[in-house]
Amino acid sequence: MKKRIAAIFFVFICFFNFSFSISYAAAPGISAGAAILMDAETGEVLYSRNADKVLYPASITKVMTALLAAEKGNLDDVVTMSFEAVFSIERGSSHIALDVDEEITLEQALNGLLLMSANDAANGIAEYIGGSIEGFAEIMTSKAKELGAMNTNFVNPHGLYDENHYTTAYDMALIAREALKYNTFRNIISTTSFEIPPTNKQEETRYLYNQHKMLENPVHRSTYFFDGVIGGKTGYTDQSQHTLVTYAEQDGTTLICVIMNADTQTVMYTDTVNLFNYGFNEVSKLQLNKAHQVVDTLPIYNDVDGEGKGMNKLGYVDVIALEEFIYYGNTEMSEEDVIKKLSFGDPLLSPVYKDEPIGDLQYIYQGTVIGSVPLVAGQTYEKVDTSLISTLQQDISVTPDNGYVDIIYLGVIIIALFFALILLWRIIRHVRRG
């Protein structure tokens, strides 16, 4: 019964920890139709506006295309352009003038994809990874669902408008977070320029330049430059309006900003700058414990008579936080301001098994519980067999009838043993002298 109650309590604690809502400082006004700011390490959402609204992504779709290429491809592999890859894209849409049967490496295709938003390169990558554009789109959607992007459906690798090609700002943040785990992706989005040398179909070198205006540019610093920007991906169609994914890092914290449905470039960049300023300057990030960290030790007892009347301490058990807890609050907060309170069954009785739920650790700030983590035991303590203990207690117990006799008898035995040891010592000395 106790185990069942503990299990129910553990589930409740996990749910409470998952569903707890945290309040931050007042966020800046955002003009775009949808926006989100996410911590790349933890996935914590620091700001959202219509983040679950289904919208058209345009070319930020290419973040997923690049993610799958980094995950499944080899940079030195050759991508051969098919007729469909070259000519299925709309006239006037972005491209790098790839030709039918032209051969480029996957690395070159990815640079064309991410720096110049080349739709022909996107198609070539899709066919290289998925066998066909349609097959690759299925892989894209499947990967999105795997990442938790449940309101996303892709039908092409580039983001040109299709009514069945959609996502949300939140889903795009999840995809962007996963993509950043790959050095190939990170290195390319942070590159300001790249050259594709002559190929089997092109005699001239292609010069590619990063279209993201918040990056540091060695030639000309953009009005929208932001210190710490890693890179990102721009997008635009008439139906989607302007879309933007941007990564920035300051003081060891990396943030992801997704802007969708902005009516001008100015809006999408200004909103991104405002959100980064908010995330880096107005929100503090406190790691209050790490996953699997020992947060305390507690005594563990054996219930001798099974009724809680006879308690023997067996030792101490490590108390381990099952998961990390990071709190996002205003910049005035410090870890010293947070009170830590252990909540558990008192006293802890054996048997207790390693990794068994034993309570929770609550974090309290200014009298309010701001979160909690479940606690588990670090060691196993089986229940001690008390029959031998009880027998021994009975054998040496002192009663009115025989107590003095037992004491005298025990004293005589101890004195006899003492003299026997002295005698043995003298005999040994005598033998050594002889």
Side-chain angles (χ1 to χ4, degrees):
M1 183 64 181
K2 290 181 179 179
K3 301 293 182 184
R4 184 177 298 176
I5 294 173
I8 294 172
F9 178 73
F10 177 69
V11 171
F12 170 78
I13 291 300
C14 289
F15 173 78
F16 177 82
N17 188 54
F18 174 78
S19 62
F20 190 84
S21 177
I22 299 173
S23 298
Y24 310 108
I30 298 300
S31 300
I36 192 168
L37 185 68
M38 177 181 287
D39 187 314
E41 179 187 4
T42 65
E44 181 73 23
V45 175
L46 307 186
Y47 173 89
S48 68
R49 169 184 166 87
N50 298 327
D52 292 324
K53 184 178 181 180
V54 172
L55 296 166
Y56 302 120
S59 283
I60 59 175
T61 296
K62 296 180 173 82
V63 173
M64 174 60 91
T65 302
L67 160 59
L68 291 173
E71 178 183 77
K72 300 177 181 297
N74 186 319
L75 292 181
D76 295 326
D77 284 355
V78 174
V79 175
T80 303
M81 300 299 296
S82 71
F83 181 89
E84 182 180 7
V86 172
F87 290 104
S88 65
I89 62 175
E90 298 174 5
R91 285 189 175 185
S93 66
S94 55
H95 61 84
I96 54 172
L98 294 169
D99 201 355
V100 178
D101 295 328
E102 185 167 5
E103 297 176 352
I104 58 175
T105 66
L106 178 61
E107 181 182 19
Q108 292 166 347
L110 279 170
N111 275 274
L113 176 85
L114 293 172
L115 301 188
M116 299 294 290
S117 200
N119 296 322
D120 47 1
N123 282 344
I125 293 170
E127 291 182 340
Y128 159 77
I129 297 291
S132 67
I133 294 173
E134 294 77 13
F136 184 74
E138 292 178 2
I139 297 173
M140 294 171 73
T141 301
S142 176
K143 182 66 176 181
K145 299 293 188 287
E146 177 187 322
L147 297 175
M150 307 309 292
N151 294 312
T152 294
N153 188 70
F154 294 123
V155 298
N156 63 57
H158 40 65
L160 290 175
Y161 170 72
D162 186 295
E163 65 178 355
N164 294 316
H165 187 96
Y166 53 80
T167 187
T168 68
Y170 175 73
D171 284 4
M172 277 308 308
L174 294 178
I175 295 166
R177 182 186 179 209
E178 182 68 15
L180 196 64
K181 296 177 182 178
Y182 293 89
N183 288 332
T184 294
F185 176 83
R186 184 182 182 121
N187 291 339
I188 293 176
I189 64 170
S190 62
T191 299
T192 56
S193 63
F194 185 84
E195 296 180 8
I196 300 178
T199 69
N200 62 321
K201 291 287 186 176
Q202 172 60 261
E203 296 180 354
E204 302 293 330
T205 297
R206 291 180 173 93
Y207 299 94
L208 313 180
Y209 300 97
N210 200 319
Q211 305 298 300
H212 200 298
K213 296 183 178 181
M214 294 178 70
L215 268 173
E216 176 75 75
N217 190 311
V219 178
H220 173 69
R221 174 174 287 193
S222 166
T223 305
Y224 305 108
F225 168 78
F226 187 88
D227 187 34
V229 164
I230 298 167
K233 185 70 195 74
T234 61
Y236 176 82
T237 67
D238 290 341
Q239 296 81 5
S240 68
Q241 296 295 289
H242 293 275
T243 61
L244 185 67
V245 170
T246 311
Y247 305 88
E249 181 178 8
Q250 290 185 7
D251 299 325
T253 295
T254 301
L255 300 181
I256 302 167
C257 183
V258 179
I259 301 293
M260 299 185 72
N261 195 222
D263 55 7
T264 66
Q265 275 198 9
T266 298
V267 166
M268 75 175 185
Y269 282 121
T270 301
D271 282 355
T272 300
V273 169
N274 288 340
L275 284 175
F276 279 150
N277 279 327
Y278 164 72
F280 288 123
N281 300 326
E282 302 296 331
V283 178
S284 67
K285 179 180 179 181
L286 301 178
Q287 184 175 48
L288 298 178
N289 69 265
K290 298 179 180 179
H292 310 297
Q293 175 184 340
V294 176
V295 296
D296 207 342
T297 56
L298 294 175
I300 179 123
Y301 298 90
N302 187 63
D303 190 356
V304 175
D305 58 11
E307 297 180 358
K309 297 179 180 179
M311 307 290 286
N312 291 333
K313 184 188 292 185
L314 299 178
Y316 291 86
V317 61
D318 288 336
V319 179
I320 297 175
L322 191 60
E323 57 197 39
E324 74 174 0
F325 183 73
I326 297 177
Y327 180 74
Y328 298 81
N330 60 67
T331 53
E332 297 176 357
M333 285 184 61
S334 66
E335 187 172 350
E336 291 72 25
D337 298 325
V338 180
I339 298 173
K340 301 178 181 181
K341 178 182 178 182
L342 270 68
S343 177
F344 58 92
D346 189 15
L348 290 179
L349 302 178
S350 66
V352 170
Y353 301 98
K354 189 176 185 301
D355 297 328
E356 176 185 346
I358 57 175
D360 75 305
L361 174 60
Q362 293 184 343
Y363 294 97
I364 303 170
Y365 175 65
Q366 295 183 347
T368 301
V369 177
I370 60 173
S372 65
V373 293
L375 301 175
V376 296
Q379 297 87 22
T380 293
Y381 278 96
E382 299 280 5
K383 189 174 181 65
V384 175
D385 184 1
T386 60
S387 59
L388 181 60
I389 297 175
S390 299
T391 301
L392 182 61
Q393 286 178 331
Q394 292 175 3
D395 288 343
I396 65 172
S397 62
V398 178
T399 66
D401 295 332
N402 63 5
Y404 295 111
V405 175
D406 287 343
I407 292 173
I408 294 172
Y409 181 69
L410 182 61
V412 171
I413 292 175
I414 292 174
I415 293 171
L417 287 173
F418 175 74
F419 282 107
L421 288 172
I422 293 175
L423 179 63
L424 179 62
W425 178 69
R426 288 182 174 180
I427 293 172
I428 293 172
R429 287 185 62 191
H430 178 73
V431 170
R432 286 180 176 176
R433 288 176 181 179

